[in-house]
Amino acid sequence: MLNYIWFGMILISVVVGSATGKIDAVTKAAINSAELAVELAIGLIGIMALWLGIMRIADKSGLVDIIAWLVQPITLTLFPEIPPEHPAIGSIVLNMAANVLGLGNAATPLGLKAMQELQELNPDKDTATNSMCTFLAINTSSVQLILPATVVALMGVSASQIFLPTIFATSMSTIAGIIAVKTLQNLKPFKREEN
Amino acid sequence: MMESVVEIFNTGAKYIIPLLLAGIPCYGILRKVKVYEVFVEGAKDGFDIAMRIIPYLVAILVAIGMFRASGALDMFISAVSPVLDLIGFPSENLLLALMRPLSGGGSFGLLSDLVKEYGADSLFAKIGATMFGSTETTFYVLAVYFGSVGIKRVRHALIAGLIADIVGILSAVYICRFLFEK
């Protein structure tokens, strides 16, 4: 999909550029943009370093555990199929807590561990369980409260204005994801055949 | 009433970054973390991330740069805007919204393009950044997570993920227009 979009943009640019007589501008844009991409990335290093340093302190001081403690009760109600003492709950909670703080690198291994533990509870290893779909709906809707370092670096001073709108939009998307997943799981085309 | 909400928001927003910059180390000190050493150690990743995003930025900024210079982007925007205007969605943000569930690197490239073209303080850049922060690379996450345990039938996970993305993207547009549109 991405391959076609990217290729399509370049092909269309060359065709349209030739037709409108702007082909020189197209060539110039290609050269300049490539150069600019590197300048831009280098320019982001400073703010990203600042942000990642601060977030590493959050990570090391165990802020994740506090968030985990807060999301635990919500998790138990969202995953009624998982026995409360099962290790999957712990992994899901920690994954969500790491995501809330925008600690993407810490979140992924925890998420994959959660999937493995959910798979142990799965009677049909080829088909996703309700819990897996719920977990991923929450995950793909992004539950991030702290912006990623890349966005903070790119937006600079304007980043401060983005925090609250992002929290609002991500809450809306997570609520929508949960409603969607819980509604769809019992509809005929998606319902699991119980054996 | 509406104005005062926006005003309170703007005053509060100023304190978010300073609060995080002071608050997190403060909590670290309380938990006996060596804040300076840990900061430096974490800050090293800034360089790695910058290096890692360069290929994505080159790919996307070149493609969007050519697309804009050829006049094709303007054609695309004028073609979609009659429909998007109906729901108050800025056409300039459409490419980013379409790219977001597919590729994190690609959508970051498009966000960079918005910042470069209109400035970080523009409505388009703010909507873009909010979209980027409030949704995830749905296709990639599903592929990695389900792939890691060999699930083949994902049932309703993809549709639910995409519904969440659409709601997140529209919420980003409306909240930013409410707060930042003058």
Side-chain angles (χ1 to χ4, degrees), chain B:
Chain B
M1 167 60 193
M2 286 305 198
E3 284 91 37
S4 59
V5 171
V6 174
E7 209 166 290
I8 292 169
F9 164 80
N10 281 324
T11 322
K14 278 183 207 153
Y15 290 93
I16 291 179
I17 290 181
L19 213 67
L20 287 167
L21 292 183
I24 291 174
C26 193
Y27 182 69
I29 291 276
L30 285 175
R31 298 296 299 263
K32 306 229 166 16
V33 171
K34 290 181 178 156
V35 287
Y36 179 76
E37 272 103 329
V38 171
F39 175 89
V40 171
E41 185 197 317
K44 282 180 193 155
D45 290 348
F47 192 79
D48 293 340
I49 293 182
M51 294 301 115
R52 221 182 308 145
I53 60 177
I54 285 178
Y56 297 97
L57 283 180
V58 171
I60 296 303
L61 289 184
V62 167
I64 186 83
M66 291 170 73
F67 202 62
R68 174 176 282 119
S70 70
L73 183 65
D74 285 338
M75 291 178 196
F76 173 78
I77 285 178
S78 42
V80 295
S81 61
V83 186
L84 293 183
D85 284 351
L86 291 176
I87 55 166
F89 193 106
S91 313
E92 285 76 2
N93 289 107
L94 182 64
L95 279 181
L96 175 60
L98 296 175
M99 181 69 92
R100 186 66 188 108
L102 295 172
S103 158
S107 45
F108 184 72
L110 290 176
L111 178 60
S112 313
D113 179 68
L114 288 174
V115 171
K116 179 193 76 156
E117 198 62 26
Y118 304 103
D121 200 38
S122 66
L123 182 62
F124 298 143
K126 286 176 186 171
I127 291 177
T130 307
M131 274 181 190
F132 187 89
S134 60
T135 50
E136 252 291 347
T137 327
T138 300
F139 286 95
Y140 172 79
V141 171
L142 290 185
V144 171
Y145 278 54
F146 279 132
S148 74
V149 288
I151 295 281
K152 292 186 188 72
R153 279 181 292 275
V154 306
R155 295 171 63 214
H156 52 301
L158 179 61
I159 295 179
L162 292 177
I163 289 175
D165 286 339
I166 292 170
V167 170
I169 281 166
L170 291 176
S171 305
V173 169
Y174 298 131
I175 189 74
C176 287
R177 291 195 54 183
F178 171 68
L179 289 171
F180 305 124
E181 203 167 36
K182 278 154 203 136

Side-chain angles (χ1 to χ4, degrees), chain A residues 66-83:
Chain A
I66 293 193
I67 309 280
W69 179 76
L70 290 173
V71 296
Q72 175 110 25
I74 309 167
T75 315
L76 289 172
T77 55
L78 285 176
F79 297 93
E81 295 92 355
I82 310 175

Side-chain angles (χ1 to χ4, degrees), chain A residues 36-56:
Chain A
L36 187 106
V38 178
E39 277 170 28
L40 183 75
I42 304 281
L44 298 179
I45 294 178
I47 309 177
M48 283 202 295
L50 166 65
W51 202 249
L52 292 164
I54 291 289
M55 291 320 291
R56 181 67 65 93

Side-chain angles (χ1 to χ4, degrees), chain A residues 119-139:
Chain A
Q119 182 72 324
E120 282 165 24
L121 295 168
N122 189 357
D124 172 5
K125 303 293 180 202
D126 281 348
T127 308
T129 59
N130 285 349
S131 306
M132 287 177 177
C133 293
T134 307
F135 177 52
L136 289 189
I138 295 171
N139 228 297

